[in-house]
Amino acid sequence: MTQTPTKATSGVQSVERAFELLEVIARAGGEAALSELALESPLPLPTIHRLLRTLVGVGYVRQLPNRRYSLGPRLIRLGEVANRQLGALASPVLKELVGKLGESANIAVLDGDMVTYIAQAQSPHSMRMITEVGRRAMLHNSGVGKAVLSVLDDERVQRLVSQSGMPPKTPKTITTLGKLFTDVEATRERGYAMDDEEQELGVRCISVPVPGAPTPMAISVSGPVTRVNQEFIVQAVPELHQAAAELGRQLIAVSD
């Protein structure tokens, strides 16, 4: 016997579909056309259009003058609170990493076409790297940014970097898409990303992606090039992978 969907069941389904659309827009870099959403979503076009009207009405999606749709301002507050909660969860992992390696440790998440730092544990050294929580960094010249890019497909990498551009921060910054793809492929092969004085001269950063994270994110350690040398990298990479795996397990446990 076929059961008729109840109003409650229909409401839950609409909520799930609305979140699916938000995820599609997020994967597109925060902005997408109706035709792009129709290609990426299994939902019928009239359903997508109806859900978008509702999301626009409550401020979770904006319709731009060019008729494209972007994530709306009401999501900012939700994202800020979620990032604080995630930062609190990550704090013990970062502190343990600093205790083992002696250099500042960070967590950053993909935020549109950039990454945002959501937590840091500082090095005990007097000369140390301090990154303000909430600061955004570009994908092409940061260790955490390139670690995040390494878990994305090449089409999305190209789209995100094309949106943000590749301005030079130092003479060592990668500024062409071809060189960036070479760097990202090297990251995938060796299992870690490196910012080798690309954001700031005299500073080196090693980073790995967090496996199983609900949104692309990376964990890193950074410090002066005089201390973050090849010997340090050999020691740091396994510790970073262990910390990233632990954080990934915690995130999965929280979401279950």
Side-chain angles (χ1 to χ4, degrees), residues 140-155:
H140 72 292
N141 63 8
S142 62
V144 285
K146 290 193 281 185
V148 163
L149 289 178
S150 72
V151 301
L152 306 179
D153 61 70
D154 288 350
E155 181 181 349

Side-chain angles (χ1 to χ4, degrees), residues 114-194:
M114 301 180 76
V115 286
T116 297
Y117 291 95
I118 61 170
Q120 181 186 67
Q122 293 181 14
S123 164
H125 293 289
S126 57
M127 186 170 71
R128 62 193 179 202
M129 308 321 302
I130 299 177
T131 300
E132 183 182 355
V133 171
R135 185 174 76 83
R136 303 181 80 209
M138 303 199 77
L139 296 169
H140 72 292
N141 63 8
S142 62
V144 285
K146 290 193 281 185
V148 163
L149 289 178
S150 72
V151 301
L152 306 179
D153 61 70
D154 288 350
E155 181 181 349
R156 191 174 178 192
V157 170
Q158 181 168 351
R159 183 169 66 247
L160 290 176
V161 174
S162 297
Q163 287 174 191
S164 62
M166 300 178 66
K169 289 272 289 192
T170 78
K172 294 194 172 187
T173 303
I174 294 173
T175 56
T176 67
L177 199 55
K179 288 183 179 179
L180 180 63
F181 271 118
T182 299
D183 192 286
V184 169
E185 188 56 40
T187 295
R188 291 167 178 158
E189 290 177 0
R190 70 191 175 206
Y192 67 91
M194 182 185 298

